[in-house]
Amino acid sequence: MATSRRVKGIAFDMYGTLVDVGAVAEACKEIASDPIAFNAHWRAKQLEYTLLRSLMGTYQDFWRVSEPALAFTIRRFGLQVSSEHRRRLMETWLHPKPYPEVAAALSRLKERYALAVLSNSSPKMLRAGLQHTALTPCFRWVISVDAIRLYKPSPSVYQLAVTKMKLRKEEMLFVSSNSFDVVGAKSFGFKVCWINRTGAPLDRLGVKPDLLVRSFDELAAAIPNARLLTVPGANHYTILFALNPHPLVEVQRFLSD
Ligand code: LAC
C-alpha cells in the first residue's frame, strides 16, 4: 500500500542551484580565450579534488580546494596568470548571482517549509555568497560540509542535514541542479528534485530524482499542494504528486525515460 508523508523541510545545494556559477565564467574572459571551457574545466577539477580528498581522508575546505584546482587549470590551458588575476577569479565565488526567480520562489516556500542550504562550500564562502545575494533571511539553517570534513555525495553529509534540521529523512526534499548531488541525495534516501535548467543528461548511477523541473518557479508551483507518495514496488520511484499539471507531466515523462 502506498504511504504518504508531507514535506516539512527542504534543503538546497548552493552553487549552480541557488546561484549561478556562470558568473565565474564571465571573470574567466579576462584570462582565457575560451572562458566557458576554462570555467568548466576548473569546476570539474574542483569537484574531482573534493572527491579525491574525501576518499584520501585529507579534507581541506572548498576555498582551499578551489585554489589548486584553478592553478591546475591555468597550467592545463598553458596560460600565464598574475596573482592579482587569480585573486579576482577566486573572489567571484564570494559574489555569485542568484538565478532571477530564486528569491521570490524561496519567499513563497519559506511560508510553509523549513529551508536550509546544504553545501560543499566553506562557511566563509556561504556567508559571503548568501549576504551578497540577500538570500540569508530565507534559510533557517546554512549547513556546510566543513562540520564533518567530508564532501557530498558522502551519505554522512546528507545525514548532517537530517540531524541539524531535526526532521526525518522521509520528511525532507533535497533540491539540486548538480547531477552528482541529485544521485547522491537520492541514493542516501532523500526525496529529490532536480532543477535541470539546461536539459543536461543525468549521471547513470542507477537512481533517478523524484521530480524534474526547469526552474524554481516550477518547483514552487509544484510542491505546496504536493504529498510525497511512496509506492512500493513501483521501480522504487517515489512520485511527487502535484496539482500543478506541468511538472507532473515532466515527472511522468522522466520516469518513463
Ligand atoms: C555546493 C556546490 C559546491 O555544494 O556544489 O554548494
Side-chain angles (χ1 to χ4, degrees):
M1 211 178 70
T3 54
S4 84
R5 207 179 272 283
R6 277 197 60 73
V7 179
K8 291 190 179 160
I10 310 177
F12 297 88
D13 170 60
M14 174 83 170
Y15 290 112
T17 301
L18 295 167
V19 300
D20 185 359
V21 275
V24 181
E26 269 302 300
C28 294
K29 281 186 184 157
E30 289 181 26
I31 58 154
S33 57
D34 186 349
I36 293 175
F38 182 91
N39 184 40
H41 201 284
W42 182 14
R43 184 87 169 114
K45 210 64 192 167
Q46 220 177 13
L47 175 61
E48 186 184 319
Y49 283 1
T50 62
L51 299 176
L52 291 173
R53 285 199 171 275
S54 283
L55 280 171
M56 294 188 298
T58 57
Y59 175 88
Q60 287 192 332
D61 78 24
F62 198 63
W63 185 265
R64 293 185 67 201
V65 161
S66 300
E67 276 177 326
L70 173 61
F72 179 94
T73 308
I74 289 169
R75 189 69 189 265
R76 175 75 184 72
F77 279 68
L79 303 173
Q80 298 290 330
V81 178
S82 68
S83 52
E84 171 58 18
H85 266 116
R86 287 174 199 237
R87 190 184 58 76
R88 286 226 293 273
L89 278 171
M90 283 298 297
E91 288 194 346
T92 54
W93 285 90
L94 303 178
H95 310 124
K97 286 192 199 136
Y99 287 103
E101 82 287 5
V102 162
L106 288 178
S107 300
R108 282 169 67 192
L109 292 170
K110 185 175 160 245
E111 300 294 311
R112 300 182 63 146
Y113 308 100
L115 305 186
V117 174
L118 177 66
S119 176
N120 270 351
S121 192
S122 70
K124 171 187 138 179
M125 292 170 82
L126 285 172
R127 250 191 324 274
L130 289 170
Q131 254 169 31
H132 182 75
T133 52
L135 293 178
T136 312
C138 297
F139 299 104
R140 205 178 295 173
W141 298 273
V142 177
I143 307 165
S144 163
V145 297
D146 207 50
I148 55 165
R149 302 175 65 81
L150 274 174
Y151 285 103
K152 292 186 279 185
S154 163
S156 306
V157 177
Y158 302 109
Q159 180 58 44
L160 183 65
V162 173
T163 308
K164 295 254 183 204
M165 294 173 79
K166 297 191 173 61
L167 291 173
R168 287 141 72 123
K169 210 192 255 193
E170 302 78 17
E171 295 169 332
M172 286 182 55
L173 181 69
F174 182 75
V175 179
S176 183
S177 294
N178 296 310
S179 175
F180 82 92
D181 202 12
V182 167
V183 297
K186 185 65 200 166
S187 134
F188 169 71
F190 274 154
K191 308 293 185 290
V192 180
C193 172
W194 186 21
I195 303 207
N196 188 358
R197 292 175 187 274
T198 59
L202 183 71
D203 278 310
R204 304 276 159 162
L205 287 164
V207 287
K208 288 184 176 182
D210 305 290
L211 179 64
L212 171 67
V213 294
R214 284 168 302 205
S215 68
F216 272 71
D217 284 340
E218 288 188 359
L219 171 67
I223 70 165
N225 298 308
R227 292 185 75 77
L228 294 172
L229 188 69
T230 307
V231 186
N235 291 329
H236 306 291
Y237 292 138
T238 305
I239 299 170
L240 198 141
F241 250 63
L243 294 185
N244 178 309
H246 178 65
L248 189 55
V249 168
E250 287 286 319
V251 175
Q252 284 166 342
R253 193 181 308 146
F254 184 68
L255 293 181
S256 62
D257 174 17

